[in-house]
Amino acid sequence: MPLRFLLCALCARGDNLLDRRFANFGVLANNVFTGPGRSFDAAHPRAEQFRGYGAPRGGEIGVEYRFE
């Protein structure tokens, strides 16, 4: 929401500034890459969470000045 005075406008916006941990989706599934060096080992799967990263932190500040 801009703050207006005279012919100027000041605005600011922030995204995910206070999120410490954020994921946009998650799946609990069996991981079959549990062998040495993360090689394929279908005989010994392990239940693990797979998570996708969320949106990054971001922000912007703007100043608008109109000449009339």
Side-chain angles (χ1 to χ4, degrees):
M1 178 176 283
L3 174 65
R4 294 195 181 276
F5 53 95
L6 296 178
L7 300 174
C8 289
L10 175 66
C11 59
R13 186 184 85 149
D15 294 325
N16 297 327
L17 296 178
L18 302 176
D19 293 340
R20 295 185 71 198
R21 296 174 59 190
F22 184 80
N24 61 0
F25 71 94
V27 176
L28 181 62
N30 289 330
N31 185 3
V32 293
F33 295 99
T34 58
R38 296 186 185 226
S39 61
F40 183 76
D41 185 11
H44 301 98
R46 188 170 40 194
E48 293 184 358
Q49 284 186 354
F50 296 92
R51 296 183 188 172
Y53 293 109
R57 289 182 173 97
E60 50 189 63
I61 297 174
V63 177
E64 176 186 341
Y65 187 81
R66 285 187 269 157
F67 295 97
E68 289 185 7

